[in-house]
Amino acid sequence: MKRTALDKITTDFINKFLDAYEIEKEVTTKDFEKFSSYCAIKQHYSSHFESEDIDNILVGETSDTGIDAIGIIIDNKLLDSEEDIELLIDEKENVQISFVFVQSTISRQFDHRKFRDFTIGIKEFFYDYAFPQKIKTKQRSKKVAEKANIACKLLDKTSVMTGASH
């Protein structure tokens, strides 16, 4: 398989990003994954990112759901753990929740298998909440499983707030 090199401008953006957040350089694909995940989630999150936030959003591993990053955002706060749920929604009548899923690639060609895996991964991410007994077809990384558990608890908590049920 032919390796795809990044153009000089994108490489420069990635290097500046890595330097700004004091992130150690890795292989180009991993560095691009970090940068593109940051860029995608930053579109939905206007607060300042910390280095720990970048580590927290990255969830991808080889041969998993195809999801490279997940951002769960409640009222412009990046959700890091189950404990944050109570802090961020406690006693609020309404909350705005966003789920941002990222799949990064430096390939110049569309790979329908990667896209299929990614969309199945997103659908199955919500199975824990909607269909807890349903078997997942894609293997999850530990971090994806943790994020799905957080999402399930968040959706349980907020469905009580709205009177919705699943």
Side-chain angles (χ1 to χ4, degrees):
M1 186 168 151
K2 185 183 172 210
R3 288 198 64 157
T4 305
L6 292 174
D7 62 86
K8 187 171 174 41
I9 294 170
T10 304
T11 300
D12 190 47
F13 277 127
I14 291 170
N15 289 334
K16 286 179 181 176
F17 162 77
L18 296 173
D19 289 344
Y21 285 97
E22 299 176 345
I23 299 171
E24 192 172 318
K25 289 183 183 183
E26 295 184 59
V27 296
T28 302
T29 54
K30 277 293 189 193
D31 291 343
F32 180 78
E33 183 178 302
K34 292 172 190 173
F35 176 67
S36 61
S37 296
Y38 163 82
C39 290
I41 291 172
K42 188 67 177 155
Q43 296 296 309
H44 303 273
Y45 174 65
S46 63
S47 295
H48 178 71
F49 258 88
E50 300 292 336
S51 294
E52 303 84 46
D53 294 331
I54 295 164
D55 289 338
N56 184 10
I57 62 173
L58 298 172
V59 297
E61 292 181 5
T62 308
S63 302
D64 63 2
T65 58
I67 301 170
D68 293 330
I70 301 171
I72 302 173
I73 303 161
I74 302 175
D75 291 339
N76 201 40
K77 303 273 189 295
L78 198 57
L79 185 64
D80 293 330
S81 66
E82 288 180 41
E83 294 78 31
D84 288 348
I85 294 171
E86 295 299 324
L87 294 171
L88 295 174
I89 65 172
D90 194 35
E91 297 183 27
K92 288 187 178 178
E93 201 168 303
N94 293 306
V95 291
Q96 182 174 349
I97 301 170
S98 299
F99 292 91
V100 183
F101 297 89
V102 180
Q103 204 296 314
S104 306
T105 185
I106 61 173
S107 173
R108 296 180 191 268
Q109 294 184 324
F110 181 76
D111 184 338
H112 71 281
R113 287 173 297 209
K114 278 187 177 183
F115 182 74
R116 181 197 63 220
D117 289 349
F118 178 63
T119 55
I120 290 170
I122 293 170
K123 183 172 85 172
E124 291 185 355
F125 178 85
F126 293 104
Y127 276 7
D128 292 357
Y129 177 71
F131 310 106
Q133 68 283 4
K134 193 159 185 158
I135 308 252
K136 289 134 192 96
T137 60
K138 296 291 173 192
Q139 181 176 335
R140 290 178 170 176
S141 70
K142 182 180 177 195
K143 288 181 106 178
V144 169
E146 288 169 0
K147 291 277 188 182
N149 188 47
I150 291 169
C152 185
K153 295 213 180 329
L154 172 63
L155 291 170
D156 275 342
K157 177 78 173 170
T158 55
S159 68
V160 170
M161 292 169 54
T162 62
S165 63
H166 64 93

